[in-house]
Amino acid sequence: MSLIARIFNEFKRNQNRVIWFIYIAFMLISLPAVYTGSASEIREGIGGMTFFKHIVFSIVSLLLVYSLTMIPIKKVLRTLTYLIYLSGTILAILTPIFGEEINGAKRWIKILGFNFQPSEITKLGIVLIGAYIFTRKDDFDRLVSVRILKGLKEWIGKRLSIQIVPRRVWRLEEKQIYLFLLAVTIPTLFIVLENFSMAIVFALTTLGVIFISSGLSRVFNRIVGLGVVFSLLFLAFLYITPKSTLEQLPGRFSTWKGRIFTSSTHQVPDSVYQKMTEEERHALKFKETKQNMQPRRAKMAIAKGLGGVINGPGSSRARYDLPEASNDFIFAIILEEYGIVGAILIPLLYLLLMFQVGVVGRQTLSKQYLILLYGITFLYVSQAFLNLLVATNLFPVTGQTLPFISSGGTSYIIASCGMGIILAIAKDSKKKMRALKEQYSKEVQQEIILDEEQEEEYSEENASNEL
């Protein structure tokens, strides 16, 4: 049998063809969109390297996804969890020290000539480590992190000559939640100052994993309440604190304030604004500034595309002027070229992915698989709709890419790795369900045979009695 025939039979028998169709559809949409969005590089004199790199990353990602579906996911899941989580956490710790500053923030670190964005690795690691922690029951005390915490507790007790005794004994579910929060907090502390939007994604993903694993528990409600209070206090701090003071603080506080609290006067001093006429004040609303440049140009591209005509790939004009046209604002380019078709198709594909993952979830009996399925899907679908809201100017600029579509190295490959895990779980669940059905059919057939044999014996006994 040829290789193509074996691959075809594998897809027909074991693979989830709907999820594969969605992933390939994303890739086919991504290639012309990235080609269009990277056109501004010609003006910068660097050619089409973004598009060329994206082709390479797409091929590597496709091979990675297929490879993950061909290996027993259950045997490599623990190794994969430790590899992704620990590598993302270590790189997140090293980035503030050895990272490269791009666009005013240290989010990248270069290793062996390749740039990595640790936050993209860490957010998938959060889901993996959460699924691992929440499915440890009998061997919970054997976890390395639990042993470290116990050793630290004993070390403090010996040095300070005190006995640390909790007020009450935590239940296993509470221990798992608090350990998971600790695992998330460590990398977040090194990322939040340079990438606050990613920290928000971390927080939403953490809440999603806890909800999937434990539901509306008391601890979950307490965490949500604390998160709401902290968010309100943080927004109040940004609103009250002058921009000059925020600029002296470490991190990007002034940038966050500018994006969240967009001033209608566009940083014009009050003394000058008060002397302006109504016509001059009205003109300020249409003045392009550093704060509103990206949303404003994105809206212009969207308005052109939603005029009722499908312009086709390569027809975008905003690609020459819109910053990050192949990354953060690629959805605006898609809408400009494909109009209402692109506006409906992109969200529909993400919703279809959610629905199909739900179908797979009903076929699996493993809690770890369920957390991974729903957690990974929630991570990338929520990020996708956050990107759509930013591109349509319904949410402040966050710098989050459109999963499986935007150009990028780390983000695209890691997102594909998450898709590969989903497909591997779908394949494993499908094989187990088929095995259960075959076993059930065999048991039914055996029962039928036994019933037929009993009927024959009964009929023979009746015949002998009549004689």
Side-chain angles (χ1 to χ4, degrees):
M1 184 183 295
S2 63
L3 177 62
I4 297 178
R6 288 200 300 269
I7 294 176
F8 177 78
N9 291 332
E10 168 68 19
F11 271 87
K12 185 177 180 181
R13 182 172 175 81
N14 296 322
Q15 300 283 358
N16 189 301
R17 285 168 285 177
V18 177
I19 299 180
W20 265 108
F21 167 79
I22 296 172
Y23 179 67
I24 297 299
F26 279 134
M27 185 175 294
L28 294 178
I29 294 172
S30 173
L31 289 172
V34 171
Y35 174 76
T36 301
S38 60
S40 60
E41 294 180 350
I42 299 175
R43 293 187 176 184
E44 299 175 3
I46 55 178
M49 287 303 297
T50 296
F51 179 64
F52 175 75
K53 290 179 180 178
H54 187 66
I55 293 176
V56 175
F57 291 140
S58 298
I59 296 173
V60 172
S61 299
L62 184 62
L63 295 175
L64 174 63
V65 171
Y66 184 72
S67 299
L68 285 173
T69 62
M70 296 305 295
I71 59 179
I73 188 64
K74 190 174 182 179
K75 295 182 179 179
V76 301
L77 193 54
R78 177 180 295 186
T79 304
L80 193 65
T81 298
Y82 283 132
L83 177 63
I84 294 179
Y85 173 76
L86 292 178
S87 61
T89 301
I90 294 172
L91 291 176
I93 295 173
L94 295 177
T95 299
I97 305 173
F98 303 103
E100 293 188 352
E101 185 171 334
I102 300 176
N103 296 329
K106 282 188 177 182
R107 300 180 181 179
W108 300 82
I109 186 170
K110 180 174 287 187
I111 301 176
L112 299 177
F114 295 94
N115 285 326
F116 294 89
Q117 192 171 3
S119 56
E120 295 291 340
I121 304 174
T122 305
K123 65 184 180 183
L124 179 59
I126 288 175
V127 180
L128 290 170
I129 200 67
Y132 179 69
I133 290 175
F134 284 113
T135 52
R136 300 301 96 189
K137 293 182 180 179
D138 298 335
D139 58 342
F140 180 79
D141 292 334
R142 294 166 52 193
L143 291 176
V144 176
S145 52
V146 174
R147 291 181 179 179
I148 293 175
L149 292 175
K150 286 185 175 181
L152 181 62
K153 175 183 173 182
E154 294 176 357
W155 185 85
I156 295 175
K158 292 179 180 179
R159 296 298 185 278
L160 300 180
S161 299
I162 60 174
Q163 185 177 3
I164 303 176
V165 180
R167 292 184 177 180
R168 63 183 180 86
V169 179
W170 288 345
R171 294 181 291 109
L172 176 63
E173 180 183 341
E174 293 176 328
K175 291 181 180 179
Q176 292 172 334
I177 291 176
Y178 293 136
L179 180 61
F180 177 53
L181 290 177
L182 177 63
V184 175
T185 303
I186 294 173
T188 304
L189 290 175
F190 295 91
I191 291 175
V192 62
L193 291 179
E194 298 293 336
N195 197 347
F196 183 71
S197 60
M198 186 63 73
I200 296 176
V201 174
F202 285 4
L204 293 177
T205 305
T206 302
L207 291 176
V209 171
I210 295 175
F211 176 77
I212 293 168
S213 62
S214 60
L216 293 174
S217 61
R218 182 177 58 183
V219 180
F220 175 80
N221 296 333
R222 189 183 304 165
I223 293 172
V224 172
L226 290 174
V228 171
V229 172
F230 175 79
S231 300
L232 293 176
L233 291 176
F234 180 74
L235 292 175
F237 167 75
L238 289 180
Y239 184 78
I240 296 172
T241 309
K243 186 177 180 180
S244 57
T245 304
L246 294 176
E247 290 177 349
Q248 298 177 1
L249 299 176
R252 309 182 70 201
F253 289 95
S254 60
T255 303
W256 304 337
K257 180 174 183 177
R259 289 179 177 178
I260 297 174
F261 303 105
T262 304
S263 175
S264 60
T265 60
H266 301 292
Q267 309 301 323
V268 175
D270 292 337
S271 58
V272 177
Y273 184 75
Q274 296 298 329
K275 297 178 181 179
M276 288 182 174
T277 62
E278 290 296 330
E279 291 78 9
E280 291 174 337
R281 294 180 181 180
H282 182 71
L284 282 177
K285 298 180 181 180
F286 303 94
K287 181 181 178 180
E288 185 175 286
T289 64
K290 185 178 180 181
Q291 285 76 20
N292 70 357
M293 177 180 62
Q294 289 178 311
R296 184 174 180 271
R297 294 182 181 180
K299 286 194 295 183
M300 294 172 62
I302 293 172
K304 178 184 175 182
L306 297 181
V309 179
I310 299 178
N311 299 303
S315 61
S316 171
R317 302 304 302 172
R319 59 180 174 168
Y320 296 109
D321 304 314
L322 180 61
E324 305 296 337
S326 63
N327 294 314
D328 305 348
F329 286 88
I330 195 169
F331 184 62
I333 301 298
I334 294 175
L335 293 189
E336 182 183 4
E337 295 184 341
Y338 300 99
I340 193 65
V341 175
I344 295 175
L345 179 61
I346 301 299
L348 186 63
L349 284 174
Y350 287 107
L351 293 176
L352 181 60
L353 176 63
M354 288 180 58
F355 174 78
Q356 189 60 29
V357 168
V359 173
V360 175
R362 289 195 295 269
Q363 297 176 350
T364 183
L365 302 176
S366 170
K367 182 180 179 180
Q368 187 177 16
Y369 282 179
L370 283 175
I371 296 175
L372 288 173
L373 285 172
Y374 298 149
I376 294 174
T377 305
F378 173 79
L379 166 63
Y380 290 113
V381 172
S382 61
Q383 180 182 332
F385 279 95
L386 182 63
N387 178 277
L388 301 185
L389 292 175
V390 170
T392 52
N393 201 26
L394 297 176
F395 197 82
V397 178
T398 60
Q400 297 299 314
T401 59
L402 190 60
F404 313 113
I405 295 180
S406 295
S407 64
T410 312
S411 59
Y412 197 90
I413 291 177
I414 295 299
S416 297
C417 181
M419 182 69 80
I421 294 173
I422 291 176
L423 283 166
I425 293 174
K427 175 185 174 181
D428 188 67
S429 301
K430 186 175 182 180
K431 291 173 68 175
K432 289 181 178 179
M433 288 297 295
R434 185 170 62 247
L436 289 174
K437 290 180 180 179
E438 293 175 354
Q439 182 181 357
Y440 177 74
S441 62
K442 289 180 181 179
E443 292 177 354
V444 171
Q445 290 177 359
Q446 291 177 356
E447 290 179 358
I448 294 174
I449 293 172
L450 290 174
D451 291 339
E452 291 176 353
E453 291 177 352
Q454 291 176 357
E455 288 179 0
E456 291 179 358
E457 292 178 357
Y458 180 75
S459 60
E460 290 177 357
E461 291 178 358
N462 290 336
S464 61
N465 291 333
E466 291 178 359
L467 294 174

